[in-house]
Amino acid sequence: MAAGQRRKTPWLPPRWFIRLAWSVHRGVYRVSGGRIGLWRPRAKGWGTLRLTTTGRRTGRPRSVIIGYVEDGPNLVSLAMNGWGEGEPSWWLNLQTRPDATVELADGQRLVHAHAATGDERSRLWSRWREIDRNLDAYAARRPSDTAVVVLEPRADAPGPPQGS
């Protein structure tokens, strides 16, 4: 029975490896001056963005690179913490101070974050499931639900006119 369960549970590298991989990713981004490390989502894939939040305790800027998909003008991520326990710090920061900045492969945006709920959450979770068929199995490893985080363009943000 244990062997059967192993086949149903998708493999994840050890936690230390996941953390190391993201640290290396951030380092490559930093060393390249931001030229390498961010990419736009592809048809059946996710992209990466650099999210800068305000620390909930320190009030200082905190940056992290996370995966995202686009939903119209919104950017959508999962607060998965590498599929480990607890909420990622960036999500805790956004819950306290939801205004943030994102750097994309093609520029910067001011955003306001919220957790998707109800039908919006179901729709966006399904979208992520299209990209990763193991999404539900990975999420089942966590002791709590994985937040679907929506980063909406801020009304005070410069940029293209709304509705275009």
Side-chain angles (χ1 to χ4, degrees):
M1 182 137 179
Q5 286 177 330
R6 268 182 267 153
R7 274 184 251 131
K8 292 179 185 176
T9 303
W11 180 82
L12 275 177
R15 184 105 175 110
W16 66 266
F17 184 84
I18 293 170
R19 293 176 60 91
L20 176 64
W22 281 106
S23 292
V24 169
H25 190 145
R26 283 190 309 271
V28 167
Y29 175 84
R30 233 183 337 265
V31 167
S32 73
R35 291 183 306 279
I36 301 171
L38 303 181
W39 61 85
R40 297 196 52 79
R42 291 163 182 86
K44 292 288 183 179
W46 46 272
T48 59
L49 61 80
R50 184 171 187 247
L51 172 70
T52 302
T53 63
T54 302
R56 65 193 178 285
R57 294 186 194 137
T58 65
R60 294 185 192 147
R62 301 290 184 202
S63 295
V64 63
I65 295 176
I66 59 174
Y68 78 101
V69 296
E70 294 177 328
D71 183 51
N74 299 336
L75 310 172
V76 181
S77 190
L78 301 176
M80 62 184 169
N81 201 19
W83 298 118
E85 278 190 48
E87 300 292 353
S89 295
W90 63 265
W91 175 229
L92 296 173
N93 290 342
L94 286 174
Q95 289 177 61
T96 302
R97 295 184 173 120
D99 287 340
T101 304
V102 295
E103 292 174 49
L104 301 166
D106 56 1
Q108 192 175 71
R109 289 188 201 173
L110 300 177
V111 295
H112 184 84
H114 75 270
T117 59
D119 290 341
E120 180 186 37
R121 185 185 194 287
S122 297
R123 179 178 62 78
L124 294 172
W125 187 266
S126 292
R127 179 106 180 268
W128 273 99
R129 194 184 296 125
E130 291 171 9
I131 294 168
D132 187 346
R133 63 183 172 83
N134 293 319
L135 184 66
D136 292 325
Y138 289 139
R141 294 174 176 253
R142 300 190 74 228
S144 59
D145 283 342
T146 301
V148 177
V149 181
V150 178
L151 303 169
E152 300 175 311
R154 287 201 334 233
D156 63 342
Q162 297 296 322
S164 62

